């Protein structure tokens, strides 16, 4: 773990940051370019599929006997990204948990505002259960908006009377769309990628006429009681740091088993840069050990 690695990544991300005044299609293209810059390793295979009528990307890793399933939700503040673009990060979790990963291509705003993403996430989970997969063999995982969506999906599944997965792993969760976290201000200069003004500009696309404080939009305000163990990780150099800390606190207050890990000096979803950042690989290893312990 070197300061040189962190400094290099910080410089790369500052060149790729999202200014608030650019068009959404430009932002989508910029994110696609950022996530596509690192090619998938040769042992990862991505296959198009569907669960519950929702498109998916099934991710398998050569040499891994998939005894479990990671149901994965990508980031992109609910308006960007897709299932295949998150294949590498999904695969890193799969290889550490003896699993295959199924990345969900939930519908994006503004074309499909809330509750489209929430509906698709629940439908995909129901589809996985209907295929005969035991909930004890499933973990949810997601980054950024996907990290918030996994919590909302577990709340939604609980309220629909569905059995819940064995555990869930949220990387830099975007859990409060009211942007009330103090680190929106205090970490603004330290965060090389995320900009509070850019986040604010995209919230109406997803929330539309709804209240951003609804529990299924901002799960930090949801009733979290009865949820399975939750593994939360974030970096100290991100404006969403408070989302992770407050989500962990609310989960613990609701008697949910929660593991919170904050890695110093690293940015939003730092695990995605595991190939060039030692801290990213270390965090994935730690999460893999925890998730494996919860799986049957």
């Amino acid at each position: 773990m070197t300061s040189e690695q962190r400094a290099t990544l910080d410089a790369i991300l500052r060149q790729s940051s999202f200014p608030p005044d650019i068009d959404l299609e430009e932002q989508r293209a910029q994110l696609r370019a950022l996530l596509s810059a690192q090619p998938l390793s040769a042992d990862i295979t991505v296959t198009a599929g569907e669960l519950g009528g929702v498109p998916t990307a099934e991710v398998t890793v050569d040499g891994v006997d998939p005894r479990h399933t990671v149901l994965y939700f990508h980031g992109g503040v609910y308006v960007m990204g897709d299932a295949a673009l998150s294949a590498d990060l999904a695969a890193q979790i799969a290889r550490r948990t003896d699993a295959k990963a199924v990345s969900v291509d939930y519908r994006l705003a503004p074309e499909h505002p809330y509750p489209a993403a929430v509906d698709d996430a629940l439908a995909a989970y129901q589809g996985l259960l209907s295929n005969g997969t035991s909930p004890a063999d499933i973990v949810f995982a997601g980054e950024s908006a996907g990290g918030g969506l996994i919590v909302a999906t577990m709340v939604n599944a609980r309220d629909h009377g569905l059995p819940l997965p064995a555990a869930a792993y949220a990387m830099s969760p975007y859990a409060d769309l009211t942007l009330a976290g103090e680190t929106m201000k205090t970490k603004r200069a330290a965060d090389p990628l995320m900009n509070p003004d850019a986040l604010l500009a995209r919230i109406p696309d997803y929330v539309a006429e709804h209240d951003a404080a609804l529990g299924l939009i901002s799960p930090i305000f949801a009733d979290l009681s009865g949820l399975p163990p939750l593994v939360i990780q974030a970096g100290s150099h991100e404006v969403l740091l408070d989302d992770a800390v407050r989500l962990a606190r609310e989960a613990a207050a609701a008697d949910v088993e929660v593991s919170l890990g904050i890695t110093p000096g690293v940015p939003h979803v730092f695990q995605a840069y595991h190939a060039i950042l030692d801290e990213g690989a270390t965090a994935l290893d730690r999460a893999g050990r925890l998730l494996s312990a919860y799986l049957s």
Side-chain angles (χ1 to χ4, degrees):
M1 302 182 188
T2 67
S3 57
E4 288 83 4
Q5 287 179 337
R6 293 192 296 269
T8 298
L9 179 60
D10 185 277
I12 292 170
L13 294 180
R14 287 188 187 278
Q15 294 175 355
S16 307
S17 61
F18 295 87
D21 56 348
I22 68 170
D23 177 80
L24 175 57
E25 289 305 320
E26 292 181 70
Q27 290 190 21
R28 286 172 170 171
Q30 196 169 339
L31 180 63
R32 193 175 302 112
L34 178 65
L35 295 179
S36 301
Q38 181 67 32
L40 290 176
S41 63
D43 65 346
I44 297 173
T45 301
V46 182
T47 307
E50 65 89 24
L51 279 176
V54 180
T56 62
E58 185 169 309
V59 183
T60 55
V61 182
D62 292 349
V64 173
D65 181 17
R67 296 180 291 124
H68 310 295
T69 300
V70 175
L71 193 63
Y72 194 87
F73 299 97
H74 68 81
V77 297
Y78 296 105
V79 302
M80 296 178 280
D82 63 51
L85 283 176
S86 291
D88 176 68
L89 198 45
Q92 298 309 317
I93 302 165
R95 74 166 77 241
R96 287 166 171 83
T97 52
D98 294 324
K100 69 176 180 181
V102 182
S103 186
V104 180
D105 227 352
Y106 58 86
R107 288 170 291 170
L108 300 178
E111 294 87 351
H112 304 283
Y114 173 85
V118 171
D119 289 346
D120 287 355
L122 185 65
Y125 181 51
Q126 288 175 307
L128 187 57
L129 295 175
S130 297
N131 287 348
T133 306
S134 168
D137 288 323
I138 300 170
V139 293
F140 286 1
E143 22 97 13
S144 196
L149 186 56
I150 64 172
V151 181
T153 302
M154 290 190 295
V155 169
N156 205 13
R158 179 201 64 196
D159 292 348
H160 278 80
L162 296 174
L164 296 178
Y169 174 32
M171 293 168 279
S172 299
Y174 183 33
D176 178 10
L177 274 69
T178 72
L179 305 186
E182 184 64 23
T183 51
M184 285 289 161
K185 302 173 184 174
T186 61
K187 294 295 183 177
R188 182 170 185 145
D191 192 322
L193 184 64
M194 303 293 283
N195 182 304
D197 295 331
L199 289 172
L200 183 63
R202 299 273 70 92
I203 287 173
D205 293 340
Y206 179 60
V207 172
E209 75 277 8
H210 300 282
D211 182 355
L214 286 175
L216 293 184
I217 292 177
S218 297
I220 201 166
F221 301 116
D223 171 14
L224 303 181
S225 59
L227 297 193
L230 186 57
V231 179
I232 304 172
Q233 294 177 343
S236 70
H237 283 190
E238 59 173 308
V239 295
L240 291 181
L241 174 59
D242 251 6
D243 283 39
V245 173
R246 292 159 60 218
L247 180 62
R249 184 173 64 237
E250 293 301 317
D255 295 325
V256 174
E257 183 178 341
V258 59
S259 171
L260 173 66
I262 307 299
T263 299
V266 297
H268 185 64
V269 195
F270 65 96
Q271 300 88 343
Y273 313 104
H274 59 89
I276 60 172
L277 184 71
D278 290 344
E279 288 90 339
T282 298
L284 288 165
D285 290 344
R286 185 179 301 118
R289 289 191 294 271
L290 287 168
L291 294 174
S292 295
Y294 295 127
L295 285 161
S296 61

